[in-house]
Amino acid sequence: MSKKTDCEICGNSTYHEVESSILIERYPFITPKNLVECSKCGARYITCSNCGSIFNRVHLALDIFQIKEKCPKCNIKNKELSDWILNFRDHN
């Protein structure tokens, strides 16, 4: 599965859909439909619901400052992601 954007870790451009109950439980903006894994290095990303491009690397040590609210390809804002960021900022 090509996602139009190169992996920020290894530069690969092929991904496959994965499930991670741990990531889905921890981050409400991750769903089984928007989580992919780099087929070369295993880095996981969420994809844009509009254009399908990868735009945020996700992992258990995710820092809020690493998160982009809008897809860099089509500029669509992920509402669940924006809500999570606001909630995080309100509680920290």
Side-chain angles (χ1 to χ4, degrees):
M1 169 187 308
S2 176
K3 288 294 179 186
K4 305 175 189 167
T5 308
D6 293 340
C7 175
E8 64 187 51
I9 303 301
C10 71
N12 184 42
S13 61
T14 57
Y15 302 86
H16 58 274
E17 291 180 0
V18 292
E19 290 190 33
S20 172
S21 58
I22 294 170
L23 287 174
I24 290 170
E25 185 176 312
R26 186 169 198 161
Y27 303 112
F29 54 87
I30 299 176
T31 70
K33 293 182 180 182
N34 75 352
L35 184 62
V36 296
E37 182 177 88
C38 173
S39 61
K40 186 174 179 184
C41 73
R44 292 183 175 183
Y45 296 88
I46 58 172
T47 60
C48 176
S49 60
N50 185 58
C51 72
S53 293
I54 64 166
F55 74 100
N56 274 308
R57 181 167 179 241
V58 291
H59 47 82
L60 291 176
L62 190 61
D63 187 317
I64 191 167
F65 300 106
Q66 298 170 317
I67 297 292
K68 299 177 274 261
E69 289 184 72
K70 293 182 179 181
C71 173
K73 295 286 182 186
C74 70
N75 210 33
I76 294 294
K77 193 176 208 179
N78 180 311
K79 181 181 176 355
E80 291 82 12
L81 189 53
S82 296
D83 291 347
W84 179 79
I85 290 170
L86 286 174
N87 188 41
F88 182 88
R89 287 180 181 152
D90 287 347
H91 291 95
N92 289 308

mmCIF file with all atom_site columns, all heavy atoms in Angstrom, residues 1-27:
data_model
loop_
_atom_site.group_PDB
_atom_site.id
_atom_site.type_symbol
_atom_site.label_atom_id
_atom_site.label_alt_id
_atom_site.label_comp_id
_atom_site.label_asym_id
_atom_site.label_entity_id
_atom_site.label_seq_id
_atom_site.pdbx_PDB_ins_code
_atom_site.Cartn_x
_atom_site.Cartn_y
_atom_site.Cartn_z
_atom_site.occupancy
_atom_site.B_iso_or_equiv
_atom_site.pdbx_formal_charge
_atom_site.auth_seq_id
_atom_site.auth_comp_id
_atom_site.auth_asym_id
_atom_site.auth_atom_id
_atom_site.pdbx_PDB_model_num
ATOM 1   N N   . MET A 1 1  ? 0.849  -1.179 0.000  1.00 0.00 ? 1  MET A N   1
ATOM 2   C CA  . MET A 1 1  ? 0.000  0.000  0.000  1.00 0.00 ? 1  MET A CA  1
ATOM 3   C C   . MET A 1 1  ? 0.893  1.240  0.000  1.00 0.00 ? 1  MET A C   1
ATOM 4   O O   . MET A 1 1  ? 1.696  1.430  0.893  1.00 0.00 ? 1  MET A O   1
ATOM 5   C CB  . MET A 1 1  ? -0.884 -0.034 1.249  1.00 0.00 ? 1  MET A CB  1
ATOM 6   C CG  . MET A 1 1  ? -1.627 1.226  1.510  1.00 0.00 ? 1  MET A CG  1
ATOM 7   S SD  . MET A 1 1  ? -2.505 1.266  3.100  1.00 0.00 ? 1  MET A SD  1
ATOM 8   C CE  . MET A 1 1  ? -3.432 -0.230 3.069  1.00 0.00 ? 1  MET A CE  1
ATOM 9   N N   . SER A 1 2  ? 0.756  2.070  -1.000 1.00 0.00 ? 2  SER A N   1
ATOM 10  C CA  . SER A 1 2  ? 1.532  3.307  -1.073 1.00 0.00 ? 2  SER A CA  1
ATOM 11  C C   . SER A 1 2  ? 0.727  4.421  -0.420 1.00 0.00 ? 2  SER A C   1
ATOM 12  O O   . SER A 1 2  ? -0.464 4.539  -0.639 1.00 0.00 ? 2  SER A O   1
ATOM 13  C CB  . SER A 1 2  ? 1.821  3.662  -2.530 1.00 0.00 ? 2  SER A CB  1
ATOM 14  O OG  . SER A 1 2  ? 2.484  4.894  -2.593 1.00 0.00 ? 2  SER A OG  1
ATOM 15  N N   . LYS A 1 3  ? 1.366  5.227  0.375  1.00 0.00 ? 3  LYS A N   1
ATOM 16  C CA  . LYS A 1 3  ? 0.674  6.311  1.076  1.00 0.00 ? 3  LYS A CA  1
ATOM 17  C C   . LYS A 1 3  ? 1.190  7.689  0.698  1.00 0.00 ? 3  LYS A C   1
ATOM 18  O O   . LYS A 1 3  ? 1.009  8.639  1.443  1.00 0.00 ? 3  LYS A O   1
ATOM 19  C CB  . LYS A 1 3  ? 0.764  6.106  2.589  1.00 0.00 ? 3  LYS A CB  1
ATOM 20  C CG  . LYS A 1 3  ? -0.097 4.976  3.097  1.00 0.00 ? 3  LYS A CG  1
ATOM 21  C CD  . LYS A 1 3  ? -1.555 5.292  2.907  1.00 0.00 ? 3  LYS A CD  1
ATOM 22  C CE  . LYS A 1 3  ? -2.423 4.169  3.379  1.00 0.00 ? 3  LYS A CE  1
ATOM 23  N NZ  . LYS A 1 3  ? -3.822 4.387  3.091  1.00 0.00 ? 3  LYS A NZ  1
ATOM 24  N N   . LYS A 1 4  ? 1.882  7.815  -0.420 1.00 0.00 ? 4  LYS A N   1
ATOM 25  C CA  . LYS A 1 4  ? 2.262  9.111  -0.985 1.00 0.00 ? 4  LYS A CA  1
ATOM 26  C C   . LYS A 1 4  ? 3.322  9.886  -0.204 1.00 0.00 ? 4  LYS A C   1
ATOM 27  O O   . LYS A 1 4  ? 3.752  10.919 -0.632 1.00 0.00 ? 4  LYS A O   1
ATOM 28  C CB  . LYS A 1 4  ? 1.046  10.003 -1.179 1.00 0.00 ? 4  LYS A CB  1
ATOM 29  C CG  . LYS A 1 4  ? -0.059 9.410  -2.005 1.00 0.00 ? 4  LYS A CG  1
ATOM 30  C CD  . LYS A 1 4  ? -1.241 10.336 -2.016 1.00 0.00 ? 4  LYS A CD  1
ATOM 31  C CE  . LYS A 1 4  ? -2.437 9.661  -2.649 1.00 0.00 ? 4  LYS A CE  1
ATOM 32  N NZ  . LYS A 1 4  ? -3.651 10.378 -2.429 1.00 0.00 ? 4  LYS A NZ  1
ATOM 33  N N   . THR A 1 5  ? 3.741  9.416  0.951  1.00 0.00 ? 5  THR A N   1
ATOM 34  C CA  . THR A 1 5  ? 4.702  10.139 1.767  1.00 0.00 ? 5  THR A CA  1
ATOM 35  C C   . THR A 1 5  ? 5.767  9.152  2.236  1.00 0.00 ? 5  THR A C   1
ATOM 36  O O   . THR A 1 5  ? 5.450  8.040  2.616  1.00 0.00 ? 5  THR A O   1
ATOM 37  C CB  . THR A 1 5  ? 4.006  10.766 2.994  1.00 0.00 ? 5  THR A CB  1
ATOM 38  O OG1 . THR A 1 5  ? 2.878  11.512 2.557  1.00 0.00 ? 5  THR A OG1 1
ATOM 39  C CG2 . THR A 1 5  ? 4.931  11.686 3.731  1.00 0.00 ? 5  THR A CG2 1
ATOM 40  N N   . ASP A 1 6  ? 7.004  9.564  2.229  1.00 0.00 ? 6  ASP A N   1
ATOM 41  C CA  . ASP A 1 6  ? 8.078  8.690  2.671  1.00 0.00 ? 6  ASP A CA  1
ATOM 42  C C   . ASP A 1 6  ? 8.132  8.604  4.187  1.00 0.00 ? 6  ASP A C   1
ATOM 43  O O   . ASP A 1 6  ? 7.871  9.583  4.890  1.00 0.00 ? 6  ASP A O   1
ATOM 44  C CB  . ASP A 1 6  ? 9.424  9.190  2.153  1.00 0.00 ? 6  ASP A CB  1
ATOM 45  C CG  . ASP A 1 6  ? 9.547  9.098  0.642  1.00 0.00 ? 6  ASP A CG  1
ATOM 46  O OD1 . ASP A 1 6  ? 8.792  8.322  0.031  1.00 0.00 ? 6  ASP A OD1 1
ATOM 47  O OD2 . ASP A 1 6  ? 10.408 9.796  0.080  1.00 0.00 ? 6  ASP A OD2 1
ATOM 48  N N   . CYS A 1 7  ? 8.521  7.444  4.683  1.00 0.00 ? 7  CYS A N   1
ATOM 49  C CA  . CYS A 1 7  ? 8.702  7.219  6.110  1.00 0.00 ? 7  CYS A CA  1
ATOM 50  C C   . CYS A 1 7  ? 9.786  8.164  6.623  1.00 0.00 ? 7  CYS A C   1
ATOM 51  O O   . CYS A 1 7  ? 10.861 8.250  6.035  1.00 0.00 ? 7  CYS A O   1
ATOM 52  C CB  . CYS A 1 7  ? 9.100  5.761  6.348  1.00 0.00 ? 7  CYS A CB  1
ATOM 53  S SG  . CYS A 1 7  ? 9.504  5.384  8.074  1.00 0.00 ? 7  CYS A SG  1
ATOM 54  N N   . GLU A 1 8  ? 9.525  8.850  7.717  1.00 0.00 ? 8  GLU A N   1
ATOM 55  C CA  . GLU A 1 8  ? 10.511 9.788  8.257  1.00 0.00 ? 8  GLU A CA  1
ATOM 56  C C   . GLU A 1 8  ? 11.690 9.081  8.914  1.00 0.00 ? 8  GLU A C   1
ATOM 57  O O   . GLU A 1 8  ? 12.729 9.692  9.140  1.00 0.00 ? 8  GLU A O   1
ATOM 58  C CB  . GLU A 1 8  ? 9.865  10.752 9.251  1.00 0.00 ? 8  GLU A CB  1
ATOM 59  C CG  . GLU A 1 8  ? 9.316  10.103 10.494 1.00 0.00 ? 8  GLU A CG  1
ATOM 60  C CD  . GLU A 1 8  ? 8.544  11.051 11.377 1.00 0.00 ? 8  GLU A CD  1
ATOM 61  O OE1 . GLU A 1 8  ? 7.653  11.747 10.883 1.00 0.00 ? 8  GLU A OE1 1
ATOM 62  O OE2 . GLU A 1 8  ? 8.846  11.079 12.579 1.00 0.00 ? 8  GLU A OE2 1
ATOM 63  N N   . ILE A 1 9  ? 11.587 7.791  9.154  1.00 0.00 ? 9  ILE A N   1
ATOM 64  C CA  . ILE A 1 9  ? 12.676 7.033  9.768  1.00 0.00 ? 9  ILE A CA  1
ATOM 65  C C   . ILE A 1 9  ? 13.613 6.448  8.713  1.00 0.00 ? 9  ILE A C   1
ATOM 66  O O   . ILE A 1 9  ? 14.822 6.615  8.787  1.00 0.00 ? 9  ILE A O   1
ATOM 67  C CB  . ILE A 1 9  ? 12.129 5.898  10.664 1.00 0.00 ? 9  ILE A CB  1
ATOM 68  C CG1 . ILE A 1 9  ? 11.197 6.451  11.739 1.00 0.00 ? 9  ILE A CG1 1
ATOM 69  C CG2 . ILE A 1 9  ? 13.263 5.083  11.277 1.00 0.00 ? 9  ILE A CG2 1
ATOM 70  C CD1 . ILE A 1 9  ? 11.812 7.465  12.670 1.00 0.00 ? 9  ILE A CD1 1
ATOM 71  N N   . CYS A 1 10 ? 13.048 5.764  7.699  1.00 0.00 ? 10 CYS A N   1
ATOM 72  C CA  . CYS A 1 10 ? 13.900 5.044  6.750  1.00 0.00 ? 10 CYS A CA  1
ATOM 73  C C   . CYS A 1 10 ? 13.738 5.481  5.292  1.00 0.00 ? 10 CYS A C   1
ATOM 74  O O   . CYS A 1 10 ? 14.487 5.026  4.435  1.00 0.00 ? 10 CYS A O   1
ATOM 75  C CB  . CYS A 1 10 ? 13.650 3.542  6.859  1.00 0.00 ? 10 CYS A CB  1
ATOM 76  S SG  . CYS A 1 10 ? 12.042 3.021  6.221  1.00 0.00 ? 10 CYS A SG  1
ATOM 77  N N   . GLY A 1 11 ? 12.758 6.343  4.988  1.00 0.00 ? 11 GLY A N   1
ATOM 78  C CA  . GLY A 1 11 ? 12.574 6.825  3.626  1.00 0.00 ? 11 GLY A CA  1
ATOM 79  C C   . GLY A 1 11 ? 11.755 5.906  2.738  1.00 0.00 ? 11 GLY A C   1
ATOM 80  O O   . GLY A 1 11 ? 11.503 6.216  1.581  1.00 0.00 ? 11 GLY A O   1
ATOM 81  N N   . ASN A 1 12 ? 11.310 4.778  3.243  1.00 0.00 ? 12 ASN A N   1
ATOM 82  C CA  . ASN A 1 12 ? 10.482 3.845  2.493  1.00 0.00 ? 12 ASN A CA  1
ATOM 83  C C   . ASN A 1 12 ? 9.124  4.492  2.173  1.00 0.00 ? 12 ASN A C   1
ATOM 84  O O   . ASN A 1 12 ? 8.688  5.406  2.854  1.00 0.00 ? 12 ASN A O   1
ATOM 85  C CB  . ASN A 1 12 ? 10.275 2.576  3.336  1.00 0.00 ? 12 ASN A CB  1
ATOM 86  C CG  . ASN A 1 12 ? 9.510  1.501  2.619  1.00 0.00 ? 12 ASN A CG  1
ATOM 87  O OD1 . ASN A 1 12 ? 9.734  1.246  1.443  1.00 0.00 ? 12 ASN A OD1 1
ATOM 88  N ND2 . ASN A 1 12 ? 8.622  0.852  3.334  1.00 0.00 ? 12 ASN A ND2 1
ATOM 89  N N   . SER A 1 13 ? 8.448  4.005  1.153  1.00 0.00 ? 13 SER A N   1
ATOM 90  C CA  . SER A 1 13 ? 7.139  4.592  0.826  1.00 0.00 ? 13 SER A CA  1
ATOM 91  C C   . SER A 1 13 ? 6.044  3.546  0.707  1.00 0.00 ? 13 SER A C   1
ATOM 92  O O   . SER A 1 13 ? 4.995  3.816  0.132  1.00 0.00 ? 13 SER A O   1
ATOM 93  C CB  . SER A 1 13 ? 7.235  5.397  -0.471 1.00 0.00 ? 13 SER A CB  1
ATOM 94  O OG  . SER A 1 13 ? 7.606  4.553  -1.542 1.00 0.00 ? 13 SER A OG  1
ATOM 95  N N   . THR A 1 14 ? 6.249  2.355  1.262  1.00 0.00 ? 14 THR A N   1
ATOM 96  C CA  . THR A 1 14 ? 5.188  1.349  1.269  1.00 0.00 ? 14 THR A CA  1
ATOM 97  C C   . THR A 1 14 ? 4.822  0.995  2.703  1.00 0.00 ? 14 THR A C   1
ATOM 98  O O   . THR A 1 14 ? 5.695  0.894  3.575  1.00 0.00 ? 14 THR A O   1
ATOM 99  C CB  . THR A 1 14 ? 5.591  0.071  0.495  1.00 0.00 ? 14 THR A CB  1
ATOM 100 O OG1 . THR A 1 14 ? 6.785  -0.456 1.054  1.00 0.00 ? 14 THR A OG1 1
ATOM 101 C CG2 . THR A 1 14 ? 5.789  0.376  -0.977 1.00 0.00 ? 14 THR A CG2 1
ATOM 102 N N   . TYR A 1 15 ? 3.535  0.820  2.908  1.00 0.00 ? 15 TYR A N   1
ATOM 103 C CA  . TYR A 1 15 ? 2.981  0.601  4.235  1.00 0.00 ? 15 TYR A CA  1
ATOM 104 C C   . TYR A 1 15 ? 1.931  -0.492 4.169  1.00 0.00 ? 15 TYR A C   1
ATOM 105 O O   . TYR A 1 15 ? 1.401  -0.786 3.110  1.00 0.00 ? 15 TYR A O   1
ATOM 106 C CB  . TYR A 1 15 ? 2.319  1.893  4.748  1.00 0.00 ? 15 TYR A CB  1
ATOM 107 C CG  . TYR A 1 15 ? 3.273  3.046  4.783  1.00 0.00 ? 15 TYR A CG  1
ATOM 108 C CD1 . TYR A 1 15 ? 3.482  3.836  3.657  1.00 0.00 ? 15 TYR A CD1 1
ATOM 109 C CD2 . TYR A 1 15 ? 4.002  3.334  5.922  1.00 0.00 ? 15 TYR A CD2 1
ATOM 110 C CE1 . TYR A 1 15 ? 4.389  4.884  3.675  1.00 0.00 ? 15 TYR A CE1 1
ATOM 111 C CE2 . TYR A 1 15 ? 4.905  4.378  5.945  1.00 0.00 ? 15 TYR A CE2 1
ATOM 112 C CZ  . TYR A 1 15 ? 5.093  5.143  4.818  1.00 0.00 ? 15 TYR A CZ  1
ATOM 113 O OH  . TYR A 1 15 ? 6.002  6.163  4.836  1.00 0.00 ? 15 TYR A OH  1
ATOM 114 N N   . HIS A 1 16 ? 1.618  -1.053 5.316  1.00 0.00 ? 16 HIS A N   1
ATOM 115 C CA  . HIS A 1 16 ? 0.496  -1.979 5.410  1.00 0.00 ? 16 HIS A CA  1
ATOM 116 C C   . HIS A 1 16 ? -0.308 -1.626 6.659  1.00 0.00 ? 16 HIS A C   1
ATOM 117 O O   . HIS A 1 16 ? 0.227  -1.096 7.635  1.00 0.00 ? 16 HIS A O   1
ATOM 118 C CB  . HIS A 1 16 ? 0.958  -3.447 5.412  1.00 0.00 ? 16 HIS A CB  1
ATOM 119 C CG  . HIS A 1 16 ? 1.900  -3.787 6.520  1.00 0.00 ? 16 HIS A CG  1
ATOM 120 N ND1 . HIS A 1 16 ? 3.263  -3.607 6.430  1.00 0.00 ? 16 HIS A ND1 1
ATOM 121 C CD2 . HIS A 1 16 ? 1.682  -4.296 7.756  1.00 0.00 ? 16 HIS A CD2 1
ATOM 122 C CE1 . HIS A 1 16 ? 3.834  -3.985 7.557  1.00 0.00 ? 16 HIS A CE1 1
ATOM 123 N NE2 . HIS A 1 16 ? 2.904  -4.407 8.369  1.00 0.00 ? 16 HIS A NE2 1
ATOM 124 N N   . GLU A 1 17 ? -1.611 -1.893 6.572  1.00 0.00 ? 17 GLU A N   1
ATOM 125 C CA  . GLU A 1 17 ? -2.486 -1.591 7.695  1.00 0.00 ? 17 GLU A CA  1
ATOM 126 C C   . GLU A 1 17 ? -2.163 -2.535 8.845  1.00 0.00 ? 17 GLU A C   1
ATOM 127 O O   . GLU A 1 17 ? -1.853 -3.702 8.635  1.00 0.00 ? 17 GLU A O   1
ATOM 128 C CB  . GLU A 1 17 ? -3.942 -1.739 7.283  1.00 0.00 ? 17 GLU A CB  1
ATOM 129 C CG  . GLU A 1 17 ? -4.378 -0.675 6.296  1.00 0.00 ? 17 GLU A CG  1
ATOM 130 C CD  . GLU A 1 17 ? -5.827 -0.820 5.869  1.00 0.00 ? 17 GLU A CD  1
ATOM 131 O OE1 . GLU A 1 17 ? -6.521 -1.754 6.339  1.00 0.00 ? 17 GLU A OE1 1
ATOM 132 O OE2 . GLU A 1 17 ? -6.259 0.009  5.063  1.00 0.00 ? 17 GLU A OE2 1
ATOM 133 N N   . VAL A 1 18 ? -2.206 -2.010 10.042 1.00 0.00 ? 18 VAL A N   1
ATOM 134 C CA  . VAL A 1 18 ? -1.939 -2.808 11.246 1.00 0.00 ? 18 VAL A CA  1
ATOM 135 C C   . VAL A 1 18 ? -2.979 -2.482 12.301 1.00 0.00 ? 18 VAL A C   1
ATOM 136 O O   . VAL A 1 18 ? -3.674 -1.471 12.224 1.00 0.00 ? 18 VAL A O   1
ATOM 137 C CB  . VAL A 1 18 ? -0.526 -2.551 11.827 1.00 0.00 ? 18 VAL A CB  1
ATOM 138 C CG1 . VAL A 1 18 ? 0.540  -3.058 10.911 1.00 0.00 ? 18 VAL A CG1 1
ATOM 139 C CG2 . VAL A 1 18 ? -0.312 -1.103 12.178 1.00 0.00 ? 18 VAL A CG2 1
ATOM 140 N N   . GLU A 1 19 ? -3.069 -3.343 13.277 1.00 0.00 ? 19 GLU A N   1
ATOM 141 C CA  . GLU A 1 19 ? -3.913 -3.094 14.435 1.00 0.00 ? 19 GLU A CA  1
ATOM 142 C C   . GLU A 1 19 ? -3.019 -3.046 15.658 1.00 0.00 ? 19 GLU A C   1
ATOM 143 O O   . GLU A 1 19 ? -2.085 -3.835 15.780 1.00 0.00 ? 19 GLU A O   1
ATOM 144 C CB  . GLU A 1 19 ? -4.954 -4.196 14.584 1.00 0.00 ? 19 GLU A CB  1
ATOM 145 C CG  . GLU A 1 19 ? -6.013 -4.153 13.508 1.00 0.00 ? 19 GLU A CG  1
ATOM 146 C CD  . GLU A 1 19 ? -7.155 -5.099 13.800 1.00 0.00 ? 19 GLU A CD  1
ATOM 147 O OE1 . GLU A 1 19 ? -7.483 -5.309 14.988 1.00 0.00 ? 19 GLU A OE1 1
ATOM 148 O OE2 . GLU A 1 19 ? -7.702 -5.623 12.837 1.00 0.00 ? 19 GLU A OE2 1
ATOM 149 N N   . SER A 1 20 ? -3.274 -2.113 16.521 1.00 0.00 ? 20 SER A N   1
ATOM 150 C CA  . SER A 1 20 ? -2.544 -2.010 17.772 1.00 0.00 ? 20 SER A CA  1
ATOM 151 C C   . SER A 1 20 ? -3.525 -1.580 18.853 1.00 0.00 ? 20 SER A C   1
ATOM 152 O O   . SER A 1 20 ? -3.845 -0.399 18.973 1.00 0.00 ? 20 SER A O   1
ATOM 153 C CB  . SER A 1 20 ? -1.408 -0.992 17.673 1.00 0.00 ? 20 SER A CB  1
ATOM 154 O OG  . SER A 1 20 ? -0.839 -0.797 18.954 1.00 0.00 ? 20 SER A OG  1
ATOM 155 N N   . SER A 1 21 ? -4.014 -2.554 19.600 1.00 0.00 ? 21 SER A N   1
ATOM 156 C CA  . SER A 1 21 ? -4.985 -2.230 20.645 1.00 0.00 ? 21 SER A CA  1
ATOM 157 C C   . SER A 1 21 ? -4.379 -1.289 21.677 1.00 0.00 ? 21 SER A C   1
ATOM 158 O O   . SER A 1 21 ? -5.082 -0.450 22.240 1.00 0.00 ? 21 SER A O   1
ATOM 159 C CB  . SER A 1 21 ? -5.503 -3.503 21.303 1.00 0.00 ? 21 SER A CB  1
ATOM 160 O OG  . SER A 1 21 ? -4.442 -4.248 21.849 1.00 0.00 ? 21 SER A OG  1
ATOM 161 N N   . ILE A 1 22 ? -3.077 -1.379 21.895 1.00 0.00 ? 22 ILE A N   1
ATOM 162 C CA  . ILE A 1 22 ? -2.417 -0.504 22.870 1.00 0.00 ? 22 ILE A CA  1
ATOM 163 C C   . ILE A 1 22 ? -2.453 0.945  22.397 1.00 0.00 ? 22 ILE A C   1
ATOM 164 O O   . ILE A 1 22 ? -2.826 1.842  23.152 1.00 0.00 ? 22 ILE A O   1
ATOM 165 C CB  . ILE A 1 22 ? -0.971 -0.956 23.118 1.00 0.00 ? 22 ILE A CB  1
ATOM 166 C CG1 . ILE A 1 22 ? -0.966 -2.327 23.787 1.00 0.00 ? 22 ILE A CG1 1
ATOM 167 C CG2 . ILE A 1 22 ? -0.211 0.061  23.960 1.00 0.00 ? 22 ILE A CG2 1
ATOM 168 C CD1 . ILE A 1 22 ? 0.392  -2.978 23.868 1.00 0.00 ? 22 ILE A CD1 1
ATOM 169 N N   . LEU A 1 23 ? -2.067 1.192  21.140 1.00 0.00 ? 23 LEU A N   1
ATOM 170 C CA  . LEU A 1 23 ? -2.091 2.560  20.618 1.00 0.00 ? 23 LEU A CA  1
ATOM 171 C C   . LEU A 1 23 ? -3.520 3.086  20.511 1.00 0.00 ? 23 LEU A C   1
ATOM 172 O O   . LEU A 1 23 ? -3.785 4.251  20.830 1.00 0.00 ? 23 LEU A O   1
ATOM 173 C CB  . LEU A 1 23 ? -1.407 2.630  19.253 1.00 0.00 ? 23 LEU A CB  1
ATOM 174 C CG  . LEU A 1 23 ? 0.113  2.524  19.252 1.00 0.00 ? 23 LEU A CG  1
ATOM 175 C CD1 . LEU A 1 23 ? 0.645  2.451  17.823 1.00 0.00 ? 23 LEU A CD1 1
ATOM 176 C CD2 . LEU A 1 23 ? 0.750  3.680  19.991 1.00 0.00 ? 23 LEU A CD2 1
ATOM 177 N N   . ILE A 1 24 ? -4.444 2.239  20.075 1.00 0.00 ? 24 ILE A N   1
ATOM 178 C CA  . ILE A 1 24 ? -5.843 2.659  19.931 1.00 0.00 ? 24 ILE A CA  1
ATOM 179 C C   . ILE A 1 24 ? -6.442 3.008  21.286 1.00 0.00 ? 24 ILE A C   1
ATOM 180 O O   . ILE A 1 24 ? -7.170 3.987  21.421 1.00 0.00 ? 24 ILE A O   1
ATOM 181 C CB  . ILE A 1 24 ? -6.660 1.569  19.203 1.00 0.00 ? 24 ILE A CB  1
ATOM 182 C CG1 . ILE A 1 24 ? -6.225 1.514  17.731 1.00 0.00 ? 24 ILE A CG1 1
ATOM 183 C CG2 . ILE A 1 24 ? -8.155 1.819  19.324 1.00 0.00 ? 24 ILE A CG2 1
ATOM 184 C CD1 . ILE A 1 24 ? -6.779 0.340  16.953 1.00 0.00 ? 24 ILE A CD1 1
ATOM 185 N N   . GLU A 1 25 ? -6.099 2.232  22.296 1.00 0.00 ? 25 GLU A N   1
ATOM 186 C CA  . GLU A 1 25 ? -6.611 2.503  23.644 1.00 0.00 ? 25 GLU A CA  1
ATOM 187 C C   . GLU A 1 25 ? -6.005 3.774  24.226 1.00 0.00 ? 25 GLU A C   1
ATOM 188 O O   . GLU A 1 25 ? -6.671 4.545  24.903 1.00 0.00 ? 25 GLU A O   1
ATOM 189 C CB  . GLU A 1 25 ? -6.288 1.311  24.557 1.00 0.00 ? 25 GLU A CB  1
ATOM 190 C CG  . GLU A 1 25 ? -6.872 1.438  25.936 1.00 0.00 ? 25 GLU A CG  1
ATOM 191 C CD  . GLU A 1 25 ? -6.602 0.188  26.760 1.00 0.00 ? 25 GLU A CD  1
ATOM 192 O OE1 . GLU A 1 25 ? -6.834 -0.924 26.252 1.00 0.00 ? 25 GLU A OE1 1
ATOM 193 O OE2 . GLU A 1 25 ? -6.158 0.338  27.918 1.00 0.00 ? 25 GLU A OE2 1
ATOM 194 N N   . ARG A 1 26 ? -4.747 4.014  23.938 1.00 0.00 ? 26 ARG A N   1
ATOM 195 C CA  . ARG A 1 26 ? -4.043 5.167  24.515 1.00 0.00 ? 26 ARG A CA  1
ATOM 196 C C   . ARG A 1 26 ? -4.384 6.488  23.828 1.00 0.00 ? 26 ARG A C   1
ATOM 197 O O   . ARG A 1 26 ? -4.448 7.529  24.469 1.00 0.00 ? 26 ARG A O   1
ATOM 198 C CB  . ARG A 1 26 ? -2.547 4.924  24.436 1.00 0.00 ? 26 ARG A CB  1
ATOM 199 C CG  . ARG A 1 26 ? -1.761 5.986  25.134 1.00 0.00 ? 26 ARG A CG  1
ATOM 200 C CD  . ARG A 1 26 ? -0.332 5.580  25.258 1.00 0.00 ? 26 ARG A CD  1
ATOM 201 N NE  . ARG A 1 26 ? 0.299  6.383  26.265 1.00 0.00 ? 26 ARG A NE  1
ATOM 202 C CZ  . ARG A 1 26 ? 1.409  6.057  26.858 1.00 0.00 ? 26 ARG A CZ  1
ATOM 203 N NH1 . ARG A 1 26 ? 1.993  4.928  26.571 1.00 0.00 ? 26 ARG A NH1 1
ATOM 204 N NH2 . ARG A 1 26 ? 1.953  6.855  27.726 1.00 0.00 ? 26 ARG A NH2 1
ATOM 205 N N   . TYR A 1 27 ? -4.564 6.445  22.518 1.00 0.00 ? 27 TYR A N   1
ATOM 206 C CA  . TYR A 1 27 ? -4.795 7.669  21.751 1.00 0.00 ? 27 TYR A CA  1
ATOM 207 C C   . TYR A 1 27 ? -6.130 7.574  21.005 1.00 0.00 ? 27 TYR A C   1
ATOM 208 O O   . TYR A 1 27 ? -6.259 6.806  20.062 1.00 0.00 ? 27 TYR A O   1
ATOM 209 C CB  . TYR A 1 27 ? -3.656 7.901  20.748 1.00 0.00 ? 27 TYR A CB  1
ATOM 210 C CG  . TYR A 1 27 ? -2.302 7.977  21.400 1.00 0.00 ? 27 TYR A CG  1
ATOM 211 C CD1 . TYR A 1 27 ? -1.357 6.980  21.198 1.00 0.00 ? 27 TYR A CD1 1
ATOM 212 C CD2 . TYR A 1 27 ? -1.965 9.045  22.219 1.00 0.00 ? 27 TYR A CD2 1
ATOM 213 C CE1 . TYR A 1 27 ? -0.107 7.046  21.803 1.00 0.00 ? 27 TYR A CE1 1
ATOM 214 C CE2 . TYR A 1 27 ? -0.724 9.117  22.825 1.00 0.00 ? 27 TYR A CE2 1
ATOM 215 C CZ  . TYR A 1 27 ? 0.198  8.116  22.614 1.00 0.00 ? 27 TYR A CZ  1
ATOM 216 O OH  . TYR A 1 27 ? 1.430  8.182  23.214 1.00 0.00 ? 27 TYR A OH  1
#
